[in-house]
Amino acid sequence: MSRPVVGSGPVVSGGNLLTDNPQLYEAQFPDPEHRAARFVADLVDRFAPGPPGRRLLDLGCGTGRDAGYLADAGFDVTGLDLSPRMLAYARRRHQRVRFVEGDLRTFDLDLRFDVVTCLDSALLYCHHNADLTAALANCRRQLAPGGLLIAEMRNGAYFLGNTDLVDGPSIRSVRWQGVTYTSRTTLWIDAAAQLLRRRRMWTWPGAEQELVQNSAWRLLFPQELRHLLEGAGFDVLALFDAPGPRTEPPWRPGAELATGLRGDRLHLVARRRDDAA
């Protein structure tokens, strides 16, 4: 296990360098304009059947950055995440949000929500069909009748004709607390498991050795995702590739939604189907 030789250095628990060090995570993935949270608020305004409800559950809330912004915008927000370190950081910074530790596949809260969000490919950490089915069933159970599910993730269809993300490693550096952290990331497709696998190797001054971390996302195709949602009791209202908080050009208020579904991101809005229907 890699640890710094001198100085305060990052926490390295054997899990994930970024989720173990929330401030480093936010430095690596900055969102100073709060595009992700404003994207959610815009979609709620567009697709809510009446005056939008304000009870919102943010799944995979991470550092609480989006949850905190939405709480300040008037939503009654609960954030759920698996990482205790992320949640501890989020609780210190966003005291208007209720934070809960939980797993997408098994969480069961004592509240009903008007909106459930699942951004930044959090749903794709459910690698198996049973995991996806359980996560979507949980989302439906936690939603009030007519409630909205808003999700943002990688688009499996993108890899049918594009290889740029898997052609070679990408190298990125971020500076945090006076130290430069450099990651070398390699992606490849595990076709049999329908996974996009990732190996990320970290180095920084004072590290005894390179830190290697592996993870994977399930690759979902648009029609596959539509089928899963309809089977889980949702009506799909919108499925689009752009714009979004991680697209170029990025999301902007009132933007037209592109439904060609060729982009590398996939965005979803679905409504919990009425039980009688």
PDB file of all heavy atoms in Angstrom, residues 28 43 84 127 184 201:
ATOM      1  N   GLN A  28     -10.069  17.266  -8.170  1.00  0.00           N
ATOM      2  CA  GLN A  28      -9.948  16.492  -9.404  1.00  0.00           C
ATOM      3  C   GLN A  28     -11.152  16.713 -10.319  1.00  0.00           C
ATOM      4  O   GLN A  28     -11.012  16.740 -11.540  1.00  0.00           O
ATOM      5  CB  GLN A  28      -9.826  14.995  -9.056  1.00  0.00           C
ATOM      6  CG  GLN A  28      -9.788  14.046 -10.245  1.00  0.00           C
ATOM      7  CD  GLN A  28      -8.410  13.895 -10.850  1.00  0.00           C
ATOM      8  OE1 GLN A  28      -7.528  14.703 -10.604  1.00  0.00           O
ATOM      9  NE2 GLN A  28      -8.218  12.853 -11.639  1.00  0.00           N
ATOM     10  N   LEU A  43     -34.374  20.193 -14.925  1.00  0.00           N
ATOM     11  CA  LEU A  43     -35.180  19.054 -15.358  1.00  0.00           C
ATOM     12  C   LEU A  43     -36.412  18.872 -14.476  1.00  0.00           C
ATOM     13  O   LEU A  43     -37.484  18.501 -14.964  1.00  0.00           O
ATOM     14  CB  LEU A  43     -34.335  17.779 -15.360  1.00  0.00           C
ATOM     15  CG  LEU A  43     -33.242  17.725 -16.435  1.00  0.00           C
ATOM     16  CD1 LEU A  43     -32.420  16.447 -16.294  1.00  0.00           C
ATOM     17  CD2 LEU A  43     -33.831  17.821 -17.840  1.00  0.00           C
ATOM     18  N   PRO A  84     -18.003   6.366   4.102  1.00  0.00           N
ATOM     19  CA  PRO A  84     -18.079   7.116   5.366  1.00  0.00           C
ATOM     20  C   PRO A  84     -17.271   8.411   5.342  1.00  0.00           C
ATOM     21  O   PRO A  84     -17.683   9.413   5.940  1.00  0.00           O
ATOM     22  CB  PRO A  84     -17.519   6.121   6.390  1.00  0.00           C
ATOM     23  CG  PRO A  84     -17.689   4.777   5.771  1.00  0.00           C
ATOM     24  CD  PRO A  84     -17.508   4.991   4.302  1.00  0.00           C
ATOM     25  N   HIS A 127     -23.286  -3.839 -11.312  1.00  0.00           N
ATOM     26  CA  HIS A 127     -22.712  -4.538 -12.461  1.00  0.00           C
ATOM     27  C   HIS A 127     -23.597  -5.643 -13.019  1.00  0.00           C
ATOM     28  O   HIS A 127     -23.474  -6.008 -14.187  1.00  0.00           O
ATOM     29  CB  HIS A 127     -21.354  -5.145 -12.070  1.00  0.00           C
ATOM     30  CG  HIS A 127     -20.300  -4.124 -11.791  1.00  0.00           C
ATOM     31  ND1 HIS A 127     -19.068  -4.439 -11.247  1.00  0.00           N
ATOM     32  CD2 HIS A 127     -20.277  -2.775 -11.984  1.00  0.00           C
ATOM     33  CE1 HIS A 127     -18.348  -3.343 -11.125  1.00  0.00           C
ATOM     34  NE2 HIS A 127     -19.059  -2.314 -11.557  1.00  0.00           N
ATOM     35  N   ARG A 184      -2.608   8.022 -14.056  1.00  0.00           N
ATOM     36  CA  ARG A 184      -2.509   7.427 -15.387  1.00  0.00           C
ATOM     37  C   ARG A 184      -3.633   6.392 -15.475  1.00  0.00           C
ATOM     38  O   ARG A 184      -3.587   5.373 -14.773  1.00  0.00           O
ATOM     39  CB  ARG A 184      -1.133   6.780 -15.579  1.00  0.00           C
ATOM     40  CG  ARG A 184      -0.916   6.145 -16.951  1.00  0.00           C
ATOM     41  CD  ARG A 184       0.457   5.488 -17.007  1.00  0.00           C
ATOM     42  NE  ARG A 184       0.712   4.826 -18.272  1.00  0.00           N
ATOM     43  CZ  ARG A 184       1.258   5.401 -19.327  1.00  0.00           C
ATOM     44  NH1 ARG A 184       1.640   6.679 -19.257  1.00  0.00           N
ATOM     45  NH2 ARG A 184       1.455   4.730 -20.448  1.00  0.00           N
ATOM     46  N   MET A 201      -3.584   4.500 -11.914  1.00  0.00           N
ATOM     47  CA  MET A 201      -2.332   4.421 -11.175  1.00  0.00           C
ATOM     48  C   MET A 201      -1.930   5.827 -10.744  1.00  0.00           C
ATOM     49  O   MET A 201      -1.784   6.718 -11.586  1.00  0.00           O
ATOM     50  CB  MET A 201      -1.249   3.779 -12.042  1.00  0.00           C
ATOM     51  CG  MET A 201      -1.552   2.318 -12.374  1.00  0.00           C
ATOM     52  SD  MET A 201      -0.487   1.606 -13.658  1.00  0.00           S
ATOM     53  CE  MET A 201      -1.231   2.331 -15.121  1.00  0.00           C
TER      54      MET A 201
END
